Amino acid sequence: MKKSNKPLIIGSIAFDIIFSIRTDFREAIPLENGKIEHFNASYTAQNPHQRFGGNGGNVGYWLSTLQTPFHLLSSFGKDLHASGYYDRLVKMGGDVRGIEEDYTAMAYMISDPLNQQCIIWQPNAWEQITNDQYQISNFYDAKEIQSIDYALLSVLPPGVATKLARELKQINPSITIILDTGQVTTLYDLKSLERCLRYVDILTCNEVEYLHFGKAYHRLMQKSPWEEGQVPLIHTLGSDGCRLVENGVETHFHAYPCQKAIEPTGAGDAFRAGILAGLCEGKSLSESIPLGLTLGAQCVEIVGPQGD
């Protein structure tokens, strides 16, 4: 397979505030007869770290570690320039475009020793992605879109993901679209997942996300138009690696050895960056997954999703 042009990432750019605690999250959750009747938990955090982040920015960073340039379509604040993050993305090889508002998105993340996370998301400028007027063709002309072989839609509500995927396919029918539902997975029910998968070529999820839509995915793959060619599913399994389900055949991939897991922020983004880079190098999906697992392991060994 031939080498591809730079991929398109449609995802958030954000500032991450990362805290860590010394105890298991679950120890502070009050249970009554095995149930959570009233939730009121308190944690003591160690020193916070502010990092550059956002799903789109993280994927771009890990692509840059492999010298893979990229398009990044997002919505961000004017503070992105003052912070140096915009220039950093450009130096990584990013062509950054999107709507510019007052404030960039913020993510407040707490990790415990088991690498469990609690995240509070403040979208700010990222909310513009849900605007009905937000279209890819407002930022790229048809010739540019037709030159893109791979696109990643990262953590978009189902209506937005479907609209943007449809637009990409209408302009460039041969483009391969990867969908990462991420932190908005619970917004995807059977009907919205079905509508979105009509324009998506690869679906990725982690263990928690799979619990939400795994049954729906397998049910849909037995229906038209997918019974002849199913949408591959990449299901990450943390330290157990991941599995690829493609046309009913399941393949397991072992995790890349990790020297010391420090914290998991951005590991999924690093994993998807590796897959994108592999595909852009002309590798098959199964050949690209080990590269994704390698980057994911490297990510958990550093503090912050980009090691800045």
Side-chain angles (χ1 to χ4, degrees):
M1 297 174 67
K2 68 180 182 69
K3 187 172 180 178
S4 161
N5 292 320
K6 57 188 178 183
L8 169 65
I9 309 161
I10 304 179
S12 64
I13 300 173
F15 299 117
D16 292 347
I17 308 297
I18 303 174
F19 301 86
S20 61
I21 61 175
R22 292 189 173 92
T23 57
D24 185 334
F25 272 122
R26 295 168 295 184
E27 293 178 4
I29 298 176
L31 296 178
E32 296 180 24
N33 299 319
K35 296 181 180 181
I36 303 175
E37 298 291 347
H38 304 283
F39 183 80
N40 185 8
S42 177
Y43 303 97
T44 299
Q46 301 180 64
N47 292 335
H49 304 277
Q50 180 166 327
R51 307 291 183 191
F52 295 137
N55 300 100
N58 294 341
V59 173
Y61 167 78
W62 288 99
L63 283 172
S64 76
T65 67
L66 300 173
Q67 288 75 54
T68 303
F70 56 92
H71 298 285
L72 175 54
L73 179 59
S74 190
S75 292
F76 46 86
K78 296 179 174 62
D79 52 352
L80 196 72
H81 298 277
S83 69
Y85 194 5
Y86 183 91
D87 290 339
R88 173 184 167 90
L89 289 166
V90 172
K91 288 178 181 177
M92 290 176 190
D95 173 12
V96 184
R97 309 186 194 184
I99 295 176
E100 191 168 320
E101 291 286 315
D102 288 333
Y103 299 104
T104 300
M106 300 284 292
Y108 303 88
M109 305 179 178
I110 306 174
S111 299
D112 73 3
L114 298 179
N115 290 327
Q116 300 174 114
Q117 280 194 318
C118 176
I119 302 174
I120 299 174
W121 174 247
Q122 184 180 358
N124 295 333
W126 180 240
E127 284 191 317
Q128 290 297 320
I129 198 77
T130 62
N131 190 315
D132 290 339
Q133 305 304 313
Y134 197 100
Q135 297 179 335
I136 299 170
S137 54
N138 290 339
F139 307 98
Y140 298 89
D141 61 36
K143 187 175 181 179
E144 288 178 301
I145 296 173
Q146 289 163 0
S147 73
I148 298 170
D149 293 319
Y150 297 97
L152 169 66
L153 307 187
S154 186
V155 194
L156 302 173
V160 176
T162 301
K163 180 185 74 171
L164 298 182
R166 184 194 305 120
E167 183 184 4
L168 284 172
K169 287 289 189 181
Q170 288 172 342
I171 300 173
N172 181 0
S174 64
I175 193 171
T176 296
I177 299 176
I178 303 171
L179 175 65
D180 162 36
T181 59
Q183 293 93 330
V184 297
T185 293
T186 54
L187 300 180
Y188 285 78
D189 57 18
L190 180 64
K191 289 184 178 179
S192 61
L193 184 64
E194 179 175 8
R195 285 192 292 268
C196 198
L197 289 185
R198 291 183 180 275
Y199 306 100
V200 166
D201 302 284
I202 301 169
L203 177 64
T204 73
C205 67
N206 62 23
E207 295 168 283
V208 175
E209 293 152 11
Y210 183 78
L211 289 174
H212 178 75
F213 63 60
K215 289 183 179 179
Y217 162 81
H218 291 292
R219 181 177 166 187
L220 289 173
M221 291 303 103
Q222 306 306 314
K223 297 173 56 177
S224 176
W226 297 291
E227 70 272 23
E228 294 296 326
Q230 299 181 356
V231 175
L233 172 71
I234 303 173
H235 176 195
T236 59
L237 303 167
S239 60
D240 291 325
C242 78
R243 66 188 186 107
L244 169 65
V245 180
E246 193 169 18
N247 290 322
V249 178
E250 181 175 322
T251 305
H252 182 263
F253 297 82
H254 294 287
Y256 187 83
C258 177
Q259 298 298 320
K260 181 181 179 182
I262 296 177
E263 61 109 0
T265 306
D269 297 324
F271 173 77
R272 285 177 284 277
I275 291 174
L276 265 181
L279 292 173
C280 288
E281 285 291 331
K283 293 179 169 53
S284 68
L285 185 56
S286 59
E287 291 171 334
S288 301
I289 286 176
L291 182 55
L293 290 168
T294 299
L295 293 192
Q298 291 175 4
C299 183
V300 302
E301 293 177 336
I302 61 177
V303 176
Q306 300 181 24
D308 47 278

